[in-house]
Amino acid sequence: MLRYHIWTIGCQMNKAESDRLAGYLEQSGYQSTDTAEEADFIVLNSCVVRQSAENRVVNKLAALKSLKKSRPGMSIAVTGCLVNGNTEQLQKSLPHVDYFLKPGESPRWFDMPATQDKTRMLVSAHPSPATFVSIIQGCDNFCSYCIVPYRRGREKSRPVSDIICEVKELVRRGVREVTLLGQNVDSYGHDLPGRPDLADLLVELNAVDELFRIRFLTNHPKDMTSKLLDAIASLEKVCGQINLPVQSGDDEILKAMRRGYTVEHYRRLARELYQKIPEVALSTDIIVGFPSESEEQFRHTCDLLAELRFDTVHVAAYSPRPGTIAAREFQDNVPQDEKSRRLRMVEELQERIATETNARLLGKTVEILVEAREKGKWQGRTRSGKLVFFPPEACDYLGQLVKIKIEKTSPWSLQGKLEISY
Ligand code: SAH
Ligand code: SF4
């Protein structure tokens, strides 16, 4: 029996890609294994957005090099952000790697019968009830700190019909919720004939039978339209969970980041979201310690977080990425200790906010889609994306919508007991 192992780090786009590659490998006769040592085919799905991620990828590649020495028959494929346009150069520096696959490209690692349907090949054989689907690859934005456009290339949208076809196939395999993915989902469709946009795609997906919920990320504050907000508010399957990275609460820093909006624009957008979608859960990304970020500018970010009270905040310390505008033009002059202090401050502030927000759900009943059973508990998410655990009963709840009465809350998750299932 041939076995495969996939190692993934990075964003949800990488996780979605790994699921699709797992489907491809399974269709080619491979079975999954948890350990690289047992595998005949290893896929390393890489991320280089931050230095820390790149370091982990480099270490993993070194470990695979020694593994291949002891098992020369195995194959190694690398995909994700490490794979740029220049695969020849990569091949030279990493001779132990057999295949390089650009993010989003279809693998041609084995001979497949021509009759096999392409979409089916790339759909995971056993998808989770809540699954990710990429709708647009690449990014045209060139924020000054970001390596993504250099590695993932320009924006390329998948045709609406392809996405609908994939989602219907996923639903046939038990999926009940899809999260549509892109570095900037708000620019979906501008490169397609007829220029359909994300709102148009949501209308079509909302009509797919047996699909219960639709989410999407990441939104860009400069591209999110009122039309999209209205679609979220009116389409019953579209969840009001919005990831809208602000990155900084200071106009000068936003300008140096080349984000293309002001704090006031962001504030107005957030208010429109709260007003049109009352149950909306808004999350954001923050970078602390951007070159020359002063204490006062950092304070502006904290003030914005306290004002808008996000549901979730993903915070990162700035790390210069060679090749980006910021790495070229600005000195990385906020000391590491200071970056760590600012990072902790944001985390502590957000922990307080999330503690209060979640505590309000105590005693309330929420609806969740059950996604998995782990460590003796079922787990699922509310429409707003909150993670909920409940103890196992005799039934199998996987893929079902159930109602849970919340008995315990923390900043990160909720616990409760089953009320009624249907
Ligand atoms: N397209 C999304 C995010 C893509 S990268 C957006 O527009 O926000 C994911 C996150 O990594 C970013 O939101 C940012 O917070 C972080 N990030 C990207 N480059 C970084 C860098 N050089 N240093 C630190 N964090 C970075
Ligand atoms: Fe990077 Fe900016 Fe594109 Fe996001 S929008 S992927 S941060 S360049």
Side-chain angles (χ1 to χ4, degrees), residues 139-143 145-149 183-184 220 247 259:
C139 183
D140 290 353
N141 278 326
F142 292 93
C143 301
Y145 51 83
C146 184
I147 193 76
V148 170
Q183 292 299 343
N184 177 4
H220 198 298
Q247 307 296 2
R259 288 291 287 176

PDB file of all heavy atoms in Angstrom, residues 139-143 145-149 183-184 220 247 259, ligand 2:
ATOM      1  N   CYS A 139      -2.570  38.218  -5.692  1.00  0.00           N
ATOM      2  CA  CYS A 139      -2.967  39.520  -5.163  1.00  0.00           C
ATOM      3  C   CYS A 139      -2.323  40.623  -5.998  1.00  0.00           C
ATOM      4  O   CYS A 139      -1.156  40.521  -6.365  1.00  0.00           O
ATOM      5  CB  CYS A 139      -2.530  39.639  -3.707  1.00  0.00           C
ATOM      6  SG  CYS A 139      -3.082  41.188  -2.989  1.00  0.00           S
ATOM      7  N   ASP A 140      -3.114  41.669  -6.283  1.00  0.00           N
ATOM      8  CA  ASP A 140      -2.606  42.792  -7.091  1.00  0.00           C
ATOM      9  C   ASP A 140      -2.260  44.010  -6.229  1.00  0.00           C
ATOM     10  O   ASP A 140      -2.025  45.088  -6.759  1.00  0.00           O
ATOM     11  CB  ASP A 140      -3.678  43.247  -8.111  1.00  0.00           C
ATOM     12  CG  ASP A 140      -3.896  42.210  -9.202  1.00  0.00           C
ATOM     13  OD1 ASP A 140      -3.134  41.232  -9.239  1.00  0.00           O
ATOM     14  OD2 ASP A 140      -4.828  42.385 -10.007  1.00  0.00           O
ATOM     15  N   ASN A 141      -2.264  43.853  -4.914  1.00  0.00           N
ATOM     16  CA  ASN A 141      -2.238  45.052  -4.073  1.00  0.00           C
ATOM     17  C   ASN A 141      -0.866  45.604  -3.701  1.00  0.00           C
ATOM     18  O   ASN A 141      -0.714  46.790  -3.519  1.00  0.00           O
ATOM     19  CB  ASN A 141      -3.029  44.801  -2.791  1.00  0.00           C
ATOM     20  CG  ASN A 141      -4.503  44.990  -3.050  1.00  0.00           C
ATOM     21  OD1 ASN A 141      -4.889  45.837  -3.852  1.00  0.00           O
ATOM     22  ND2 ASN A 141      -5.332  44.193  -2.403  1.00  0.00           N
ATOM     23  N   PHE A 142       0.088  44.772  -3.520  1.00  0.00           N
ATOM     24  CA  PHE A 142       1.438  45.225  -3.163  1.00  0.00           C
ATOM     25  C   PHE A 142       1.476  46.123  -1.932  1.00  0.00           C
ATOM     26  O   PHE A 142       2.015  47.229  -1.977  1.00  0.00           O
ATOM     27  CB  PHE A 142       2.110  45.916  -4.363  1.00  0.00           C
ATOM     28  CG  PHE A 142       2.423  44.963  -5.466  1.00  0.00           C
ATOM     29  CD1 PHE A 142       1.524  44.763  -6.502  1.00  0.00           C
ATOM     30  CD2 PHE A 142       3.593  44.208  -5.437  1.00  0.00           C
ATOM     31  CE1 PHE A 142       1.793  43.841  -7.506  1.00  0.00           C
ATOM     32  CE2 PHE A 142       3.865  43.286  -6.441  1.00  0.00           C
ATOM     33  CZ  PHE A 142       2.960  43.115  -7.482  1.00  0.00           C
ATOM     34  N   CYS A 143       0.885  45.669  -0.829  1.00  0.00           N
ATOM     35  CA  CYS A 143       1.093  46.341   0.452  1.00  0.00           C
ATOM     36  C   CYS A 143       2.605  46.279   0.686  1.00  0.00           C
ATOM     37  O   CYS A 143       3.243  45.268   0.357  1.00  0.00           O
ATOM     38  CB  CYS A 143       0.346  45.626   1.564  1.00  0.00           C
ATOM     39  SG  CYS A 143      -1.425  45.557   1.235  1.00  0.00           S
ATOM     40  N   TYR A 145       4.721  45.756   2.959  1.00  0.00           N
ATOM     41  CA  TYR A 145       5.409  44.766   3.796  1.00  0.00           C
ATOM     42  C   TYR A 145       5.242  43.341   3.292  1.00  0.00           C
ATOM     43  O   TYR A 145       5.848  42.414   3.830  1.00  0.00           O
ATOM     44  CB  TYR A 145       4.820  44.821   5.228  1.00  0.00           C
ATOM     45  CG  TYR A 145       3.308  44.720   5.217  1.00  0.00           C
ATOM     46  CD1 TYR A 145       2.685  43.491   5.142  1.00  0.00           C
ATOM     47  CD2 TYR A 145       2.503  45.865   5.225  1.00  0.00           C
ATOM     48  CE1 TYR A 145       1.311  43.386   5.084  1.00  0.00           C
ATOM     49  CE2 TYR A 145       1.130  45.777   5.161  1.00  0.00           C
ATOM     50  CZ  TYR A 145       0.544  44.537   5.086  1.00  0.00           C
ATOM     51  OH  TYR A 145      -0.819  44.439   5.012  1.00  0.00           O
ATOM     52  N   CYS A 146       4.419  43.127   2.262  1.00  0.00           N
ATOM     53  CA  CYS A 146       3.885  41.787   2.011  1.00  0.00           C
ATOM     54  C   CYS A 146       4.552  41.086   0.822  1.00  0.00           C
ATOM     55  O   CYS A 146       4.683  41.642  -0.265  1.00  0.00           O
ATOM     56  CB  CYS A 146       2.382  41.881   1.791  1.00  0.00           C
ATOM     57  SG  CYS A 146       1.614  40.268   1.581  1.00  0.00           S
ATOM     58  N   ILE A 147       4.897  39.841   1.034  1.00  0.00           N
ATOM     59  CA  ILE A 147       5.604  39.039   0.023  1.00  0.00           C
ATOM     60  C   ILE A 147       4.623  38.313  -0.911  1.00  0.00           C
ATOM     61  O   ILE A 147       4.997  37.853  -1.995  1.00  0.00           O
ATOM     62  CB  ILE A 147       6.532  38.008   0.747  1.00  0.00           C
ATOM     63  CG1 ILE A 147       7.547  37.351  -0.197  1.00  0.00           C
ATOM     64  CG2 ILE A 147       5.754  36.942   1.465  1.00  0.00           C
ATOM     65  CD1 ILE A 147       8.695  38.206  -0.571  1.00  0.00           C
ATOM     66  N   VAL A 148       3.348  38.244  -0.476  1.00  0.00           N
ATOM     67  CA  VAL A 148       2.376  37.402  -1.205  1.00  0.00           C
ATOM     68  C   VAL A 148       2.293  37.688  -2.712  1.00  0.00           C
ATOM     69  O   VAL A 148       2.373  36.767  -3.522  1.00  0.00           O
ATOM     70  CB  VAL A 148       0.969  37.479  -0.530  1.00  0.00           C
ATOM     71  CG1 VAL A 148      -0.103  36.833  -1.399  1.00  0.00           C
ATOM     72  CG2 VAL A 148       1.011  36.814   0.833  1.00  0.00           C
ATOM     73  N   PRO A 149       2.155  38.961  -3.148  1.00  0.00           N
ATOM     74  CA  PRO A 149       2.018  39.187  -4.596  1.00  0.00           C
ATOM     75  C   PRO A 149       3.233  38.698  -5.387  1.00  0.00           C
ATOM     76  O   PRO A 149       3.089  38.294  -6.539  1.00  0.00           O
ATOM     77  CB  PRO A 149       1.896  40.707  -4.713  1.00  0.00           C
ATOM     78  CG  PRO A 149       1.500  41.166  -3.362  1.00  0.00           C
ATOM     79  CD  PRO A 149       2.093  40.209  -2.388  1.00  0.00           C
ATOM     80  N   GLN A 183      -6.856  36.050  -1.163  1.00  0.00           N
ATOM     81  CA  GLN A 183      -6.113  37.085  -0.436  1.00  0.00           C
ATOM     82  C   GLN A 183      -6.938  38.363  -0.380  1.00  0.00           C
ATOM     83  O   GLN A 183      -6.819  39.157   0.536  1.00  0.00           O
ATOM     84  CB  GLN A 183      -4.777  37.377  -1.118  1.00  0.00           C
ATOM     85  CG  GLN A 183      -3.790  36.236  -1.033  1.00  0.00           C
ATOM     86  CD  GLN A 183      -3.426  35.885   0.377  1.00  0.00           C
ATOM     87  OE1 GLN A 183      -3.656  36.665   1.299  1.00  0.00           O
ATOM     88  NE2 GLN A 183      -2.868  34.716   0.577  1.00  0.00           N
ATOM     89  N   ASN A 184      -7.754  38.563  -1.411  1.00  0.00           N
ATOM     90  CA  ASN A 184      -8.640  39.714  -1.446  1.00  0.00           C
ATOM     91  C   ASN A 184      -9.912  39.288  -2.175  1.00  0.00           C
ATOM     92  O   ASN A 184     -10.037  39.482  -3.378  1.00  0.00           O
ATOM     93  CB  ASN A 184      -7.926  40.871  -2.170  1.00  0.00           C
ATOM     94  CG  ASN A 184      -8.807  42.087  -2.302  1.00  0.00           C
ATOM     95  OD1 ASN A 184      -9.928  42.116  -1.789  1.00  0.00           O
ATOM     96  ND2 ASN A 184      -8.327  43.083  -3.011  1.00  0.00           N
ATOM     97  N   HIS A 220     -10.877  43.149   1.770  1.00  0.00           N
ATOM     98  CA  HIS A 220      -9.966  44.295   1.810  1.00  0.00           C
ATOM     99  C   HIS A 220     -10.773  45.580   2.004  1.00  0.00           C
ATOM    100  O   HIS A 220     -11.687  45.846   1.224  1.00  0.00           O
ATOM    101  CB  HIS A 220      -9.142  44.376   0.532  1.00  0.00           C
ATOM    102  CG  HIS A 220      -7.925  45.233   0.696  1.00  0.00           C
ATOM    103  ND1 HIS A 220      -8.011  46.573   1.006  1.00  0.00           N
ATOM    104  CD2 HIS A 220      -6.609  44.937   0.648  1.00  0.00           C
ATOM    105  CE1 HIS A 220      -6.784  47.063   1.125  1.00  0.00           C
ATOM    106  NE2 HIS A 220      -5.913  46.087   0.919  1.00  0.00           N
ATOM    107  N   GLN A 247      -4.817  46.277   9.889  1.00  0.00           N
ATOM    108  CA  GLN A 247      -3.335  46.299   9.991  1.00  0.00           C
ATOM    109  C   GLN A 247      -2.791  47.370  10.921  1.00  0.00           C
ATOM    110  O   GLN A 247      -1.844  47.125  11.658  1.00  0.00           O
ATOM    111  CB  GLN A 247      -2.655  46.396   8.615  1.00  0.00           C
ATOM    112  CG  GLN A 247      -3.094  45.343   7.603  1.00  0.00           C
ATOM    113  CD  GLN A 247      -2.759  43.903   7.980  1.00  0.00           C
ATOM    114  OE1 GLN A 247      -2.216  43.644   9.041  1.00  0.00           O
ATOM    115  NE2 GLN A 247      -3.125  42.958   7.139  1.00  0.00           N
ATOM    116  N   ARG A 259      -1.743  50.657   2.142  1.00  0.00           N
ATOM    117  CA  ARG A 259      -2.992  49.906   2.239  1.00  0.00           C
ATOM    118  C   ARG A 259      -4.129  50.524   1.420  1.00  0.00           C
ATOM    119  O   ARG A 259      -5.121  49.870   1.129  1.00  0.00           O
ATOM    120  CB  ARG A 259      -3.421  49.806   3.715  1.00  0.00           C
ATOM    121  CG  ARG A 259      -2.573  48.879   4.530  1.00  0.00           C
ATOM    122  CD  ARG A 259      -2.772  47.433   4.141  1.00  0.00           C
ATOM    123  NE  ARG A 259      -4.053  46.885   4.585  1.00  0.00           N
ATOM    124  CZ  ARG A 259      -4.475  45.660   4.282  1.00  0.00           C
ATOM    125  NH1 ARG A 259      -3.748  44.870   3.509  1.00  0.00           N
ATOM    126  NH2 ARG A 259      -5.642  45.219   4.715  1.00  0.00           N
TER     127      ARG A 259
HETATM  128 FE1  SF4 B   2      -0.486  41.023   1.032  1.00  0.00          FE
HETATM  129 FE2  SF4 B   2      -1.809  43.333   0.916  1.00  0.00          FE
HETATM  130 FE3  SF4 B   2      -2.277  41.436  -0.903  1.00  0.00          FE
HETATM  131 FE4  SF4 B   2      -3.080  41.100   1.621  1.00  0.00          FE
HETATM  132  S1  SF4 B   2      -3.814  42.679   0.200  1.00  0.00           S
HETATM  133  S2  SF4 B   2      -2.024  39.598   0.334  1.00  0.00           S
HETATM  134  S3  SF4 B   2      -1.472  42.076   2.767  1.00  0.00           S
HETATM  135  S4  SF4 B   2      -0.373  42.552  -0.629  1.00  0.00           S
END
